[in-house]
Amino acid sequence: MKPRIFYTKPSITEKEVEYATDAARNGWGDRCYEYINRFEEAFKKHLGVKYAIATSSCTGALHMGMAALGIGPGDEVIMADTNWIATASPIVHLGAKPVFVDILPDSWCLDPAQVEKAITPRTKAIVAVHLYGNLCELDELLAIGEKHGIPVIEDAAEAIGSVYHGKRVGSIGKFGAFSFHGTKTLTTGEGGMFVTNDAELYEHVLTLSNHGRARGQTKQFWPDMVGFKYKMSNIQAAIGCAQIERIEELTQRKRAIFAHYRNRLTVLPGLSMNPEPADTVNGAWMPTAVFDAGTGIAREQLQAAFAEENIDARVFFWPLSSLPPFEAVSGNVHAYQIPGKAINLPSYHDITENELDRVVQTLFALYRKLGLIK
Ligand SMILES: *Cc1c(COP(=O)(O)O)cnc(C)c1O
Protein backbone atom coordinates (compact mmCIF):
# COMPACT_ATOMS: atom_id res chain seq x y z
CA MET A 1 0.00 0.00 0.00
CA LYS A 2 1.33 3.45 -0.89
CA PRO A 3 1.72 5.91 2.01
CA ARG A 4 -1.48 7.68 2.99
CA ILE A 5 -2.10 11.19 1.69
CA PHE A 6 -4.20 13.03 4.23
CA TYR A 7 -7.03 15.33 3.35
CA THR A 8 -6.21 18.08 5.86
CA LYS A 9 -3.67 18.29 8.66
CA PRO A 10 -2.62 21.34 10.68
CA SER A 11 0.80 22.97 10.38
CA ILE A 12 2.21 23.04 13.91
CA THR A 13 5.68 24.52 14.32
CA GLU A 14 7.95 25.20 17.32
CA LYS A 15 6.15 28.52 17.74
CA GLU A 16 2.78 26.89 18.46
CA VAL A 17 4.42 24.41 20.84
CA GLU A 18 6.31 27.19 22.62
CA TYR A 19 3.23 29.39 23.12
CA ALA A 20 1.04 26.47 24.23
CA THR A 21 3.73 25.33 26.66
CA ASP A 22 3.99 28.83 28.09
CA ALA A 23 0.20 28.98 28.49
CA ALA A 24 0.17 25.60 30.25
CA ARG A 25 3.01 26.62 32.54
CA ASN A 26 2.21 30.24 33.30
CA GLY A 27 -1.23 31.13 31.94
CA TRP A 28 -3.19 30.83 35.16
CA GLY A 29 -4.47 33.15 37.90
CA ASP A 30 -4.35 36.75 36.77
CA ARG A 31 -2.70 35.69 33.52
CA CYS A 32 -5.48 33.27 32.51
CA TYR A 33 -6.84 35.56 29.75
CA GLU A 34 -3.53 36.82 28.32
CA TYR A 35 -3.39 34.65 25.20
CA ILE A 36 -7.15 34.96 24.65
CA ASN A 37 -6.93 38.77 24.64
CA ARG A 38 -3.85 38.70 22.45
CA PHE A 39 -5.45 36.31 19.96
CA GLU A 40 -8.60 38.46 19.74
CA GLU A 41 -6.51 41.61 19.18
CA ALA A 42 -4.39 39.96 16.48
CA PHE A 43 -7.47 38.52 14.77
CA LYS A 44 -9.23 41.91 14.76
CA LYS A 45 -6.18 43.49 13.19
CA HIS A 46 -5.88 40.76 10.56
CA LEU A 47 -9.53 40.98 9.58
CA GLY A 48 -10.04 44.72 9.91
CA VAL A 49 -12.95 44.60 12.38
CA LYS A 50 -13.69 46.48 15.59
CA TYR A 51 -14.76 43.59 17.81
CA ALA A 52 -13.90 39.90 18.21
CA ILE A 53 -14.80 37.23 20.76
CA ALA A 54 -12.88 33.94 20.79
CA THR A 55 -15.20 30.94 21.16
CA SER A 56 -15.00 27.18 21.59
CA SER A 57 -16.29 26.67 18.04
CA CYS A 58 -17.72 28.41 15.00
CA THR A 59 -21.04 26.72 15.81
CA GLY A 60 -21.00 28.47 19.21
CA ALA A 61 -20.17 31.83 17.63
CA LEU A 62 -23.09 31.42 15.20
CA HIS A 63 -25.42 30.30 18.00
CA MET A 64 -24.66 33.33 20.18
CA GLY A 65 -24.77 35.80 17.30
CA MET A 66 -28.11 34.46 16.10
CA ALA A 67 -29.49 34.50 19.65
CA ALA A 68 -28.39 38.13 20.03
CA LEU A 69 -30.21 39.01 16.80
CA GLY A 70 -33.37 37.71 18.48
CA ILE A 71 -33.84 34.69 16.21
CA GLY A 72 -36.34 32.36 17.88
CA PRO A 73 -39.37 30.11 17.54
CA GLY A 74 -41.37 30.66 14.37
CA ASP A 75 -38.58 32.54 12.60
CA GLU A 76 -36.94 31.52 9.34
CA VAL A 77 -33.28 31.84 8.37
CA ILE A 78 -32.30 31.51 4.72
CA MET A 79 -29.10 29.62 3.89
CA ALA A 80 -27.60 27.55 1.09
CA ASP A 81 -28.65 23.90 0.87
CA THR A 82 -24.99 23.01 0.21
CA ASN A 83 -23.18 23.27 3.51
CA TRP A 84 -21.96 21.57 6.64
CA ILE A 85 -24.74 21.09 9.22
CA ALA A 86 -22.97 23.38 11.74
CA THR A 87 -24.65 26.44 10.21
CA ALA A 88 -28.12 24.92 10.45
CA SER A 89 -27.88 23.45 13.97
CA PRO A 90 -27.91 26.79 15.88
CA ILE A 91 -30.98 27.86 13.90
CA VAL A 92 -32.76 24.66 14.94
CA HIS A 93 -31.56 24.98 18.57
CA LEU A 94 -33.09 28.47 18.70
CA GLY A 95 -36.44 27.01 17.61
CA ALA A 96 -36.27 28.63 14.17
CA LYS A 97 -36.36 27.01 10.75
CA PRO A 98 -33.47 26.85 8.27
CA VAL A 99 -34.80 27.56 4.78
CA PHE A 100 -32.53 25.84 2.27
CA VAL A 101 -32.12 27.49 -1.12
CA ASP A 102 -30.15 26.47 -4.18
CA ILE A 103 -26.56 27.40 -4.99
CA LEU A 104 -24.97 28.96 -8.08
CA PRO A 105 -23.44 26.36 -10.42
CA ASP A 106 -19.98 27.97 -10.52
CA SER A 107 -19.30 29.29 -6.98
CA TRP A 108 -21.42 26.63 -5.16
CA CYS A 109 -22.59 29.48 -2.88
CA LEU A 110 -26.03 30.97 -2.21
CA ASP A 111 -28.00 32.04 -5.32
CA PRO A 112 -29.26 35.59 -4.61
CA ALA A 113 -32.29 35.17 -6.90
CA GLN A 114 -33.37 32.11 -4.88
CA VAL A 115 -32.80 34.02 -1.62
CA GLU A 116 -35.10 36.82 -2.75
CA LYS A 117 -37.80 34.28 -3.67
CA ALA A 118 -37.54 32.58 -0.27
CA ILE A 119 -38.16 35.71 1.81
CA THR A 120 -41.36 35.70 3.88
CA PRO A 121 -42.58 37.92 6.74
CA ARG A 122 -40.93 35.40 9.12
CA THR A 123 -37.43 35.70 7.60
CA LYS A 124 -35.04 36.94 10.30
CA ALA A 125 -31.62 36.52 8.65
CA ILE A 126 -29.70 35.37 5.59
CA VAL A 127 -26.55 33.31 6.19
CA ALA A 128 -23.89 33.69 3.52
CA VAL A 129 -21.51 30.74 3.70
CA HIS A 130 -18.29 31.21 1.74
CA LEU A 131 -18.08 27.56 0.75
CA TYR A 132 -14.56 26.09 0.52
CA GLY A 133 -13.19 29.66 0.52
CA ASN A 134 -15.25 30.64 -2.56
CA LEU A 135 -16.93 34.02 -2.41
CA CYS A 136 -20.68 34.61 -2.00
CA GLU A 137 -22.31 37.34 -4.09
CA LEU A 138 -22.15 39.68 -1.10
CA ASP A 139 -23.16 42.93 -2.84
CA GLU A 140 -26.36 41.34 -4.11
CA LEU A 141 -27.11 39.61 -0.81
CA LEU A 142 -26.52 42.81 1.18
CA ALA A 143 -28.80 44.73 -1.21
CA ILE A 144 -31.55 42.11 -0.71
CA GLY A 145 -31.04 42.30 3.05
CA GLU A 146 -31.18 46.08 3.01
CA LYS A 147 -34.33 46.12 0.89
CA HIS A 148 -36.16 43.79 3.29
CA GLY A 149 -34.56 44.93 6.55
CA ILE A 150 -32.92 41.52 7.10
CA PRO A 151 -29.32 41.12 8.39
CA VAL A 152 -26.77 39.13 6.38
CA ILE A 153 -24.58 36.89 8.54
CA GLU A 154 -21.27 35.63 7.15
CA ASP A 155 -20.25 32.07 7.98
CA ALA A 156 -16.57 32.44 7.11
CA ALA A 157 -15.53 29.15 8.75
CA GLU A 158 -13.92 28.01 5.50
CA ALA A 159 -12.83 31.40 4.24
CA ILE A 160 -9.97 32.85 6.22
CA GLY A 161 -7.75 34.47 3.59
CA SER A 162 -10.65 35.19 1.22
CA VAL A 163 -11.13 38.82 0.17
CA TYR A 164 -14.19 40.37 -1.48
CA HIS A 165 -13.75 43.75 -3.22
CA GLY A 166 -10.85 44.69 -0.98
CA LYS A 167 -12.40 43.54 2.31
CA ARG A 168 -11.67 40.33 4.15
CA VAL A 169 -14.77 38.14 4.33
CA GLY A 170 -16.35 37.82 7.75
CA SER A 171 -15.92 41.58 8.24
CA ILE A 172 -18.66 42.62 5.82
CA GLY A 173 -22.03 41.35 7.12
CA LYS A 174 -23.86 42.07 10.40
CA PHE A 175 -21.47 39.62 12.03
CA GLY A 176 -19.02 36.95 10.93
CA ALA A 177 -18.06 33.56 12.38
CA PHE A 178 -14.82 31.61 11.90
CA SER A 179 -13.81 28.04 12.74
CA PHE A 180 -10.43 26.88 14.01
CA HIS A 181 -11.30 23.19 13.92
CA GLY A 182 -8.32 20.95 13.16
CA THR A 183 -9.25 20.72 9.49
CA LYS A 184 -9.36 24.48 8.89
CA THR A 185 -6.57 26.73 7.53
CA LEU A 186 -5.91 28.27 10.97
CA THR A 187 -6.41 25.86 13.82
CA THR A 188 -6.56 25.77 17.61
CA GLY A 189 -7.73 22.13 17.66
CA GLU A 190 -11.29 23.22 18.30
CA GLY A 191 -12.24 26.88 18.39
CA GLY A 192 -13.91 29.78 16.68
CA MET A 193 -14.32 33.53 16.55
CA PHE A 194 -17.29 35.89 16.56
CA VAL A 195 -16.53 39.19 14.80
CA THR A 196 -18.56 42.35 14.20
CA ASN A 197 -18.32 46.10 13.72
CA ASP A 198 -21.61 46.65 15.58
CA ALA A 199 -20.93 47.90 19.14
CA GLU A 200 -24.36 47.00 20.50
CA LEU A 201 -24.33 43.49 19.04
CA TYR A 202 -20.81 42.97 20.41
CA GLU A 203 -21.86 43.94 23.95
CA HIS A 204 -24.85 41.61 23.76
CA VAL A 205 -22.80 38.64 22.55
CA LEU A 206 -20.05 39.39 25.07
CA THR A 207 -22.63 39.16 27.87
CA LEU A 208 -24.16 35.99 26.38
CA SER A 209 -20.67 34.46 26.08
CA ASN A 210 -20.04 34.95 29.79
CA HIS A 211 -23.14 33.11 31.05
CA GLY A 212 -25.15 36.30 30.86
CA ARG A 213 -22.89 38.32 33.16
CA ALA A 214 -22.67 41.89 31.82
CA ARG A 215 -19.24 43.46 31.58
CA GLY A 216 -19.99 46.27 34.08
CA GLN A 217 -21.69 43.97 36.61
CA THR A 218 -19.88 44.36 39.95
CA LYS A 219 -21.82 41.72 41.91
CA GLN A 220 -20.17 38.28 41.94
CA PHE A 221 -21.99 35.27 40.42
CA TRP A 222 -24.69 37.60 39.09
CA PRO A 223 -25.97 36.81 35.58
CA ASP A 224 -28.28 39.44 34.10
CA MET A 225 -29.67 36.98 31.56
CA VAL A 226 -29.39 33.31 30.62
CA GLY A 227 -26.32 33.03 28.42
CA PHE A 228 -24.04 30.43 26.89
CA LYS A 229 -20.73 28.79 27.70
CA TYR A 230 -18.78 28.81 24.46
CA LYS A 231 -15.41 30.12 25.59
CA MET A 232 -12.00 29.37 24.17
CA SER A 233 -9.33 28.30 26.66
CA ASN A 234 -6.10 30.25 27.11
CA ILE A 235 -4.10 27.22 25.92
CA GLN A 236 -6.05 27.00 22.67
CA ALA A 237 -5.67 30.76 22.23
CA ALA A 238 -1.90 30.40 22.63
CA ILE A 239 -1.86 28.06 19.62
CA GLY A 240 -4.11 30.58 17.83
CA CYS A 241 -1.61 33.40 18.54
CA ALA A 242 1.15 31.44 16.85
CA GLN A 243 -1.10 30.55 13.91
CA ILE A 244 -2.29 34.12 13.32
CA GLU A 245 1.33 35.31 13.28
CA ARG A 246 1.79 32.78 10.45
CA ILE A 247 -1.48 33.56 8.67
CA GLU A 248 0.13 34.87 5.47
CA GLU A 249 2.27 31.74 5.22
CA LEU A 250 -0.73 29.48 5.95
CA THR A 251 -3.04 31.08 3.38
CA GLN A 252 -0.31 31.53 0.73
CA ARG A 253 0.44 27.83 0.97
CA LYS A 254 -3.25 26.96 0.52
CA ARG A 255 -3.34 29.20 -2.54
CA ALA A 256 -0.18 27.66 -3.95
CA ILE A 257 -1.60 24.14 -3.58
CA PHE A 258 -4.82 25.26 -5.26
CA ALA A 259 -2.88 26.93 -8.10
CA HIS A 260 -0.87 23.74 -8.59
CA TYR A 261 -4.02 21.64 -8.97
CA ARG A 262 -5.71 24.24 -11.17
CA ASN A 263 -2.73 24.42 -13.54
CA ARG A 264 -2.36 20.70 -13.80
CA LEU A 265 -6.01 19.60 -13.79
CA THR A 266 -8.12 22.12 -15.65
CA VAL A 267 -6.54 20.92 -18.92
CA LEU A 268 -8.69 17.82 -18.48
CA PRO A 269 -11.92 18.13 -20.51
CA GLY A 270 -15.03 18.85 -18.45
CA LEU A 271 -13.20 19.50 -15.19
CA SER A 272 -13.69 22.76 -13.31
CA MET A 273 -12.45 23.96 -9.96
CA ASN A 274 -13.13 26.71 -7.38
CA PRO A 275 -13.59 30.06 -9.15
CA GLU A 276 -11.78 33.29 -8.32
CA PRO A 277 -13.70 36.16 -9.95
CA ALA A 278 -12.12 39.58 -10.60
CA ASP A 279 -11.50 41.73 -7.52
CA THR A 280 -11.63 38.75 -5.14
CA VAL A 281 -9.09 36.46 -3.48
CA ASN A 282 -10.07 32.86 -2.83
CA GLY A 283 -8.53 31.66 0.46
CA ALA A 284 -8.55 28.21 -1.17
CA TRP A 285 -9.36 26.22 1.94
CA MET A 286 -10.64 23.27 -0.08
CA PRO A 287 -9.59 22.64 -3.70
CA THR A 288 -12.53 20.89 -5.30
CA ALA A 289 -12.97 19.38 -8.75
CA VAL A 290 -16.39 19.23 -10.39
CA PHE A 291 -16.93 17.16 -13.53
CA ASP A 292 -19.36 18.01 -16.34
CA ALA A 293 -22.20 15.55 -16.76
CA GLY A 294 -20.78 14.81 -20.24
CA THR A 295 -17.71 13.12 -18.73
CA GLY A 296 -19.94 10.54 -17.04
CA ILE A 297 -17.64 10.68 -14.00
CA ALA A 298 -19.49 9.93 -10.76
CA ARG A 299 -18.62 10.37 -7.08
CA GLU A 300 -18.36 6.63 -6.44
CA GLN A 301 -15.81 6.18 -9.24
CA LEU A 302 -13.76 9.05 -7.84
CA GLN A 303 -13.90 7.63 -4.33
CA ALA A 304 -12.83 4.21 -5.55
CA ALA A 305 -9.95 5.63 -7.61
CA PHE A 306 -8.57 7.66 -4.72
CA ALA A 307 -9.11 4.86 -2.17
CA GLU A 308 -7.10 2.56 -4.42
CA GLU A 309 -4.19 5.03 -4.25
CA ASN A 310 -4.59 5.47 -0.46
CA ILE A 311 -5.51 9.13 -0.94
CA ASP A 312 -8.04 10.67 1.43
CA ALA A 313 -10.24 12.65 -0.97
CA ARG A 314 -13.66 13.60 0.38
CA VAL A 315 -17.14 13.91 -1.07
CA PHE A 316 -18.74 17.28 -1.80
CA PHE A 317 -21.30 18.25 0.89
CA TRP A 318 -24.64 16.48 0.59
CA PRO A 319 -27.57 18.90 0.32
CA LEU A 320 -28.60 19.48 3.94
CA SER A 321 -32.24 19.10 2.94
CA SER A 322 -31.49 15.50 1.85
CA LEU A 323 -30.29 14.52 5.35
CA PRO A 324 -32.49 12.72 7.91
CA PRO A 325 -33.21 15.74 10.19
CA PHE A 326 -34.67 17.82 7.35
CA GLU A 327 -37.27 17.77 4.59
CA ALA A 328 -36.08 17.42 1.00
CA VAL A 329 -36.13 20.49 -1.26
CA SER A 330 -35.69 18.67 -4.54
CA GLY A 331 -36.07 21.90 -6.56
CA ASN A 332 -32.53 22.81 -5.44
CA VAL A 333 -31.14 21.41 -8.67
CA HIS A 334 -27.46 22.37 -8.35
CA ALA A 335 -27.24 21.47 -4.67
CA TYR A 336 -28.59 18.01 -5.57
CA GLN A 337 -26.61 17.43 -8.78
CA ILE A 338 -23.11 18.73 -8.06
CA PRO A 339 -22.22 16.37 -5.16
CA GLY A 340 -22.72 13.38 -7.45
CA LYS A 341 -19.92 14.52 -9.77
CA ALA A 342 -17.40 16.25 -7.50
CA ILE A 343 -14.55 15.55 -5.11
CA ASN A 344 -12.48 17.49 -2.50
CA LEU A 345 -8.74 17.14 -3.00
CA PRO A 346 -6.09 16.88 -0.24
CA SER A 347 -4.53 20.28 0.54
CA TYR A 348 -2.69 20.25 3.85
CA HIS A 349 0.17 22.66 4.45
CA ASP A 350 3.03 20.14 4.31
CA ILE A 351 1.81 18.15 1.31
CA THR A 352 4.78 17.42 -0.97
CA GLU A 353 5.21 17.86 -4.74
CA ASN A 354 5.30 14.11 -5.02
CA GLU A 355 2.00 13.75 -3.17
CA LEU A 356 0.34 16.46 -5.27
CA ASP A 357 1.57 14.58 -8.30
CA ARG A 358 0.00 11.34 -7.07
CA VAL A 359 -3.37 13.13 -6.72
CA VAL A 360 -3.09 14.62 -10.23
CA GLN A 361 -2.01 11.28 -11.73
CA THR A 362 -4.99 9.51 -10.14
CA LEU A 363 -7.37 11.76 -12.07
CA PHE A 364 -5.38 11.42 -15.30
CA ALA A 365 -5.49 7.63 -14.91
CA LEU A 366 -9.26 7.73 -14.39
CA TYR A 367 -9.69 9.88 -17.51
CA ARG A 368 -7.58 7.41 -19.50
CA LYS A 369 -9.45 4.43 -18.15
CA LEU A 370 -12.75 6.00 -19.23
CA GLY A 371 -11.34 6.84 -22.66
CA LEU A 372 -11.79 10.59 -22.06
CA ILE A 373 -8.12 11.24 -22.92
CA LYS A 374 -5.42 9.19 -24.62
C1 LIG B 1 -16.25 23.86 9.97
C2 LIG B 1 -17.49 24.64 9.68
C3 LIG B 1 -18.35 25.11 10.68
C4 LIG B 1 -18.24 24.65 12.10
O1 LIG B 1 -17.12 24.96 12.73
P1 LIG B 1 -16.89 24.36 14.22
O2 LIG B 1 -15.74 25.17 14.69
O3 LIG B 1 -16.60 22.92 14.03
O4 LIG B 1 -18.13 24.62 14.98
C5 LIG B 1 -19.40 25.93 10.36
N1 LIG B 1 -19.64 26.28 9.10
C6 LIG B 1 -18.87 25.84 8.09
C7 LIG B 1 -19.17 26.29 6.71
C8 LIG B 1 -17.78 24.98 8.35
O5 LIG B 1 -17.05 24.52 7.36
Side-chain angles (χ1 to χ4, degrees), residues 13 99 136 144 200 244 249 273 317 331 339 358-359:
T13 64
V99 175
C136 286
I144 293 167
E200 210 177 311
I244 195 82
E249 178 201 342
M273 295 192 70
F317 288 129
R358 273 175 59 199
V359 176

Side-chain angles (χ1 to χ4, degrees), residues 57-59 83-84 86-87 129 155 157-158 179 181 184 191:
S57 69
C58 177
T59 311
N83 194 15
W84 177 226
T87 317
V129 181
D155 179 344
E158 305 180 355
S179 172
H181 180 256
K184 301 285 163 54

Side-chain angles (χ1 to χ4, degrees), residues 29-45 50-55 193 202 206 215 231-238 240-241 244:
D30 56 7
R31 297 184 61 186
C32 72
Y33 297 117
E34 265 179 20
Y35 278 108
I36 298 171
N37 293 336
R38 192 169 134 191
F39 185 36
E40 288 173 346
E41 287 308 312
F43 201 84
K44 276 177 356 192
K45 205 164 157 221
K50 289 195 188 133
Y51 309 105
I53 301 171
T55 58
M193 192 74 81
Y202 167 68
L206 192 64
R215 174 148 59 165
K231 286 179 178 238
M232 176 179 281
S233 78
N234 199 50
I235 299 172
Q236 290 168 302
C241 284
I244 195 82

Side-chain angles (χ1 to χ4, degrees), residues 345-358:
L345 304 176
S347 65
Y348 67 95
H349 189 84
D350 294 320
I351 196 165
T352 63
E353 286 283 317
N354 180 268
E355 288 171 326
L356 289 170
D357 213 49
R358 273 175 59 199

Side-chain angles (χ1 to χ4, degrees), residues 32 56 59 69 93 172 177 220:
C32 72
S56 53
T59 311
L69 290 180
H93 289 314
I172 302 165
Q220 289 182 336

Side-chain angles (χ1 to χ4, degrees), residues 200-215:
E200 210 177 311
L201 183 63
Y202 167 68
E203 286 297 333
H204 193 162
V205 173
L206 192 64
T207 302
L208 287 177
S209 76
N210 195 18
H211 264 319
R213 291 177 290 187
R215 174 148 59 165

